[in-house]
Every structure is written in C-alpha cells, then in structure tokens.
C-alpha cells in the first residue's frame, strides 16, 4: 500500500485518485475549491464517468479515499504526489500552466519529507525541469525530491477501464529510481522509460 496525494479533483485527478484507492492505496485528494471538496465528501461528483460514483463511495467508506483543501493534510504521509490540475489552452493555443505553477509552489512550501512528484496534467516538454526549479526556489528548507512525468491517456467514457488496463504507460524523469518507484503501483503495465 502506498500513500498518495492527488492535487486537483477534475477529470484526471478524480479518476486517478479514485482508481489508486481502489487498488488498496491510501489517497488524499486535494482541491482549492472548497465547494467541490464539500460535495465530494457528500458523494456529489463534479464530473460524470460511468462507474466512478460507485468506486468513489466504496473507497470513501473504506477510508482509503479522503478529500481536503489543505496541502499540509494532503502531503502529511504522502510518498507520491500527482499534479492533476487543469492546463487550459490560451488564446495562442499553448497550455496555460498557472495552476501547475501554483501546485508546485504550494507543494514546496508545505513539504516536510522526501517526495516523488508526478506531472499527470497535460503539459509541454520540459515542464518537469520547470516544476523542479519552482519547487527548489520555493522550499522553506532543502528537502530532496524527484519529478517524474507520466502523461495521462484516459478517454472520457472509458477512463476507469483505461486506468486499470492501460495500453501504455509513459514515464520520464532524470531520476531513474524515482521513475521505477512510480512504475511500481501498477505492476504489469507496459512502460516506456525516457529517463536521462
């Protein structure tokens, strides 16, 4: 069993966190929108995905899935932190990374032990190095961490099936041990490593 924090409970974050909890991991899912978190605690989901509501309810009941608006609570026992925030397209078509930046800054300011931070949001090449530099610049004290990129391939309407039976999992990191650690929660998945 792993302790996992998921930042952002939109489509990617809610599906990812819920499915990890259904595999037996302890997951704390965080969002800065208080109303969204309060609704999730009551079993009201912000999205529709076939079968997701039942899995959320089952894992809330088993206490493997909890929700919070506080970073210190989400990171308290976490080994892995998945950044699953929105990256909407700007007017020029480029991904708007302001929410990724905010998540990285908040992680840096609240972490008190080593973490592996996973970029799950849809982001351009080079974002892993950018997130690492944001964390280094914003840490209150120097704590070791690693950043791994693991893009999502979830399709609406079949996201749960895609999570549990992926046709591929792509991981990228400058830290091969961190990439290997991220690969462990999903044994048997086909992985393509791009570690430098």
């Amino acid at each position: 069993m792993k302790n996992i924090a998921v930042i952002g409970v939109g489509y990617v974050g809610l599906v990812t966190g819920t499915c990890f909890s259904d595999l037996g991991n302890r997951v704390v899912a965080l969002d800065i929108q208080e109303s969204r978190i309060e609704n999730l605690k009551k079993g009201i989901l912000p999205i529709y995905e076939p079968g997701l509501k039942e899995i959320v309810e089952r894992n809330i009941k088993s206490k493997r899935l909890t929700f919070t608006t506080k970073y210190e609570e989400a990171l308290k026992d976490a080994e892995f932190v998945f950044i699953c925030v929105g990256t909407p397209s700007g007017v020029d078509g480029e991904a708007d990374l302001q929410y990724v930046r905010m998540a990285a800054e908040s992680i840096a300011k609240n972490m008190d032990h080593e973490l592996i931070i996973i970029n799950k949001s849809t982001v351009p090449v080079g974002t892993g190095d950018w997130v690492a530099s944001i964390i280094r610049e914003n840490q209150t004290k120097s704590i070791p961490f690693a950043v791994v990129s693991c893009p999502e391939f979830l399709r609406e309407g079949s996201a749960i099936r895609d999570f549990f039976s992926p046709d591929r999992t792509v991981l990228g990191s400058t830290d091969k041990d961190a990439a290997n650690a991220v690969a462990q929660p999903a044994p048997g998945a086909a992985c393509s490593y791009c570690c430098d």
Side-chain angles (χ1 to χ4, degrees):
M1 177 176 56
K2 305 290 184 188
N3 289 317
I4 297 170
V6 174
I7 311 302
V9 293
Y11 194 84
V12 174
L14 187 56
V15 171
T16 299
T18 300
C19 290
F20 271 128
S21 68
D22 211 46
L23 288 170
N25 299 291
R26 200 173 297 123
V27 176
V28 180
L30 176 144
D31 202 281
I32 60 172
Q33 290 185 28
E34 290 185 20
S35 60
R36 184 176 276 194
I37 292 300
E38 286 309 310
N39 281 337
L40 281 165
K41 288 178 178 179
K42 297 174 193 168
I44 302 167
L45 278 59
I47 60 166
Y48 175 74
E49 177 65 27
L52 184 62
K53 184 172 177 56
E54 294 77 12
I55 300 173
V56 168
E57 289 172 350
R58 176 170 64 237
N59 286 284
I60 289 173
K61 187 175 180 181
S62 71
K63 297 185 171 37
R64 285 190 305 262
L65 178 62
T66 58
F67 300 98
T68 186
T69 57
K70 297 181 173 78
Y71 272 87
E72 59 272 17
E73 187 178 330
L75 300 180
K76 182 180 177 213
D77 297 314
E79 301 162 73
F80 301 92
V81 180
F82 285 82
I83 298 177
C84 300
V85 297
T87 53
S89 296
V91 290
D92 55 2
E94 290 186 13
D96 180 349
L97 301 179
Q98 68 174 314
Y99 302 114
V100 174
R101 172 184 282 284
M102 288 169 54
E105 288 173 351
S106 296
I107 290 167
K109 291 172 183 172
N110 289 280
M111 66 188 289
D112 62 4
H113 60 279
E114 287 188 41
L115 292 172
I116 296 176
I117 299 148
I118 302 104
N119 276 329
K120 199 82 175 149
S121 297
T122 303
V123 293
V125 173
T127 302
D129 292 337
W130 179 68
V131 165
S133 69
I134 290 169
I135 293 170
R136 273 192 298 275
E137 291 165 10
N138 287 277
Q139 283 184 319
T140 55
K141 60 182 176 180
S142 182
I143 300 170
F145 68 92
V147 177
V148 176
S149 293
C150 182
E152 59 90 11
F153 298 102
L154 304 177
R155 297 168 294 167
E156 287 189 34
S158 63
I160 294 168
R161 184 172 57 245
D162 290 345
F163 180 92
F164 287 118
S165 300
D167 62 353
R168 67 194 174 281
T169 302
V170 179
L171 300 173
S173 182
T174 57
D175 186 324
K176 191 166 187 172
D177 290 338
N180 283 328
V182 172
Q184 295 310 305
C191 293
S192 301
Y193 290 94
C194 46
C195 304
D196 304 6

